[in-house]
């Protein structure tokens, strides 16, 4: 079934992004774990996972067991899967039975893992998450020795595959001191594991921003989300990196595009209101087009009278309010436009581009939120 709009995922852009990320990682055998929580940041888990695998990725990070399940069934290469957050109690056995690894951040979770692994006669693959300063989840350094005692007593049902933590905003230099403290705490935790006889586990701390800014946090695995999709974690990181390297264009390429087509066209006379309410009055005789995409399709209502879309390679404004299923645009200057013509909501047409950031009033910070709000029901296709 076709939707009223479609999302295109560019294999070429994705490949370029992985090339860039691997170049940053250098020759060291650091594992690139592709973070695909939030429906692969809106790109669609089912289409994204096999594509990333074709680009050489073989490890994925998700937030929850339901996402892990989707990755498991999308994977064509038996890739590693790591859950960084929630596991529903009723799905714990599925997770352990399928060798999905997971962050272990509480005594309850540790005990649950041991008891299920016993029942299944398996080893649960755990990443010991330490609290280094984000204050979200993780064992504090002070409780870690006690936890490690429990782990040591159950090694026939536990495999410590990793030691991890998450940084509290590596994308902003304002957090520099807090991050520095976190890096020190992480080293302390590592020391504790070594003292307790653990070895061979993967140390991981870095997200996209840390990968660029704090090379010493790369360790054995990096959890890369936003950058693989072609976005910088913040404008600051972009400026810092491209400035230092004197780059003229960004090495990261947007993977996603979003397109629809004109549904209908009509002429409106000067002085008439367009759409619901009276937020837009025609100030001249106008030619307007309706697009079959509204806020229920993820085209935000806040783009009313503000957004831009591309038609015939020209940037044209959204006029009036964005409706549930439709949006009106001004095509007065595009005489050749007709029903059925392509309209680009995100992406290129000729040499014009609508960026994701332009949706969020040019704020890159919001890329994360904007992307993950693209509805799952939109059809997604791979393009070159
Ligand atoms: C989301 C997330 C990441 C990835 O962050 P990006 O900024 O998108 O690279 C890494 N680690 C954890 C724990 C996360 O929750």
């Amino acid at each position: 079934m076709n939707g009223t709009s479609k999302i295109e995922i560019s294999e070429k852009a994705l490949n370029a992004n992985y090339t860039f990320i691997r170049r940053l990682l250098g020759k060291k055998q650091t594992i690139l774990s592709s973070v695909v929580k939030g429906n692969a940041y809106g790109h669609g888990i089912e289409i994204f996972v096999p594509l990333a695998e074709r680009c050489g990725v073989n490890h994925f990070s998700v937030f929850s067991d339901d996402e892990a399940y989707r990755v498991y069934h999308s994977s064509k290469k038996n890739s590693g899967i790591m859950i960084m957050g929630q596991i529903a109690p009723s799905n714990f056995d599925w997770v352990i039975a399928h060798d999905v690894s997971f962050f272990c951040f509480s005594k309850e979770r540790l005990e649950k893992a041991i008891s299920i692994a016993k029942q299944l006669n398996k080893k649960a693959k755990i990443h010991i998450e330490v609290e280094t300063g984000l204050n979200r989840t993780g064992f504090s350094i002070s409780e870690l020795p006690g936890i490690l005692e429990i782990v040591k007593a159950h090694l026939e049902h536990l495999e410590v595959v990793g030691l991890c933590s998450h940084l509290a905003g590596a994308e902003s230099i304002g957090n520099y001191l807090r991050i520095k403290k976190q890096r020190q705490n992480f080293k302390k935790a590592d020391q504790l594991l070594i003292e307790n006889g653990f070895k061979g586990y993967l140390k991981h701390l870095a997200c996209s921003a840390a990968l660029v800014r704090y090379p010493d946090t790369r360790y054995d695995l990096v959890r890369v989300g936003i950058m693989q999709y072609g976005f910088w974690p913040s404008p600051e990181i972009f400026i810092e990196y491209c400035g230092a390297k004197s780059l003229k264009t960004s090495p990261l390429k947007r993977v996603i595009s979003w397109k629809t087509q004109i549904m209908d066209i009509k002429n409106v006379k000067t002085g008439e209101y367009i759409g619901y309410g009276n937020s837009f009055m025609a100030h001249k005789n106008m030619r307007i087009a309706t697009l079959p995409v509204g806020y229920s399709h993820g085209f935000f209502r806040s783009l009313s009278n503000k957004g831009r879309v591309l038609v015939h390679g020209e940037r044209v404004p959204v006029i009036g309010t964005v409706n549930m299923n439709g949006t009106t645009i001004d095509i007065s200057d595009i005489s050749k436009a007709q029903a059925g013509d392509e309209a680009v909501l995100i992406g290129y047409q000729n040499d014009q581009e609508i960026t994701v950031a332009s949706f969020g009033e040019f704020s890159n910070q919001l890329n994360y939120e904007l992307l993950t709000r693209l509805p799952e029901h939109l059809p997604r296709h791979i393009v070159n």
Side-chain angles (χ1 to χ4, degrees):
M1 221 176 339
N2 292 318
T4 62
S5 67
K6 63 178 176 186
I7 284 178
E8 291 178 351
I9 305 292
S10 163
E11 179 161 8
K12 197 167 147 200
L14 188 62
N15 253 315
N17 298 340
Y18 285 136
T19 301
F20 173 66
I21 293 165
R22 289 205 182 89
R23 198 172 304 146
L24 281 181
L25 291 175
K27 291 216 168 55
K28 231 180 116 227
Q29 292 296 305
T30 304
I31 297 171
L32 194 177
S33 183
S34 160
V35 179
V36 292
K37 63 191 181 190
N39 197 27
Y41 290 46
H43 292 63
I45 284 180
E46 283 71 16
I47 201 162
F48 188 82
V49 165
L51 186 63
E53 288 181 327
R54 279 222 298 275
C55 299
V57 170
N58 60 10
H59 197 279
F60 295 92
S61 295
V62 295
F63 175 71
S64 48
D65 55 275
D66 55 319
E67 293 171 337
Y69 184 86
R70 288 170 61 191
V71 172
Y72 181 83
H73 288 285
S74 312
S75 168
K76 304 260 190 298
K77 298 204 169 149
N78 206 12
S79 292
I81 305 173
M82 173 166 85
I83 298 175
M84 306 186 290
Q86 175 68 5
I87 302 173
S90 56
N91 291 333
F92 229 108
D93 51 353
W94 181 88
V95 170
I96 293 175
H98 291 79
D99 288 323
V100 171
S101 67
F102 53 92
F103 283 22
C104 195
F105 45 71
S106 69
K107 202 166 160 217
E108 292 72 36
R109 177 168 283 197
L110 182 61
E111 282 164 354
K112 176 103 181 164
I114 294 166
S115 88
I116 306 258
K118 262 189 196 150
Q119 282 169 28
L120 295 171
N121 197 22
K122 288 208 55 136
K123 282 190 179 186
K125 293 181 184 295
I126 62 167
H127 299 257
I128 295 178
E129 186 187 7
V130 280
E131 172 49 61
T132 53
L134 174 62
N135 285 315
R136 192 165 72 180
T137 45
F139 297 111
S140 65
I141 304 284
S142 58
E143 68 183 321
L144 199 51
I147 293 300
L148 294 180
E149 288 307 318
I150 302 177
V151 173
K152 281 195 281 187
H154 294 91
L155 284 177
E156 75 271 39
H157 293 299
L158 291 174
E159 184 185 346
V160 178
V161 293
L163 171 70
C164 58
S165 189
H166 190 41
L167 296 172
E171 69 282 352
S172 169
I173 201 70
N175 302 325
Y176 180 76
L177 291 177
R178 193 170 166 201
I179 302 288
K180 189 172 172 195
K181 189 104 210 324
Q182 285 196 274
R183 284 148 64 200
Q184 288 163 354
N185 284 337
F186 190 67
K187 285 186 185 146
K188 278 186 206 155
D190 184 36
Q191 203 53 43
L192 274 173
L193 260 73
I194 293 170
E195 281 164 18
N196 277 276
F198 291 96
K199 50 178 179 254
Y201 51 89
L202 301 168
K203 279 189 277 180
H204 51 106
L205 184 57
C207 54
S208 295
L211 161 67
V212 179
R213 177 173 273 168
Y214 302 113
D216 64 326
T217 62
R218 289 173 195 165
Y219 294 113
D220 307 310
L221 178 150
V222 290
R223 305 181 302 256
V224 180
I226 199 83
M227 270 179 47
Q228 66 184 325
Y229 305 109
F231 304 97
W232 294 87
S234 65
E236 192 182 304
I237 297 273
F238 167 61
I239 292 165
E240 185 177 272
Y241 185 83
C242 292
K245 306 270 172 193
S246 304
L247 297 180
K248 297 236 162 35
T249 54
S250 170
L252 293 175
K253 309 291 172 209
R254 180 175 37 71
V255 170
I256 206 166
S257 301
W258 188 16
K259 297 174 178 173
T260 184
Q261 66 290 313
I262 292 176
M263 181 167 82
D264 193 25
I265 290 183
K266 66 167 73 264
N267 294 305
V268 175
K269 289 210 160 55
T270 313
E272 302 224 354
Y273 290 105
I274 293 171
Y276 289 130
N278 51 16
S279 76
F280 190 92
M281 182 201 270
H283 51 280
K284 58 178 183 183
N285 287 337
M286 296 179 83
R287 189 158 179 259
I288 63 170
T290 309
L291 305 178
V293 172
Y295 56 80
S296 74
H297 308 100
F299 197 78
F300 309 124
R301 218 169 149 268
S302 55
L303 293 168
S304 300
N305 287 311
K306 272 197 197 141
R308 296 282 186 276
V309 307
L310 299 176
V311 175
H312 284 277
E314 304 281 345
R315 206 171 275 268
V316 300
V318 169
I319 51 176
T321 52
V322 172
N323 301 168
M324 182 188 290
N325 303 108
T327 298
T328 308
I329 55 174
D330 177 10
I331 52 160
S332 301
D333 295 333
I334 306 175
S335 50
K336 62 184 167 202
Q338 49 186 2
D341 286 355
E342 180 188 81
V344 171
L345 309 174
I346 296 174
Y348 280 105
Q349 214 179 34
N350 300 344
D351 55 358
Q352 288 289 323
E353 183 184 13
I354 304 280
T355 63
V356 170
S358 73
F359 271 57
E361 297 174 325
F362 304 100
S363 157
N364 274 314
Q365 271 301 316
L366 286 175
N367 283 345
Y368 292 84
E369 185 181 354
L370 295 165
L371 290 167
T372 52
R373 283 167 133 206
L374 289 172
E376 272 183 43
H377 64 76
L378 300 180
R380 287 157 169 87
H381 308 275
I382 296 170
V383 296
N384 185 27

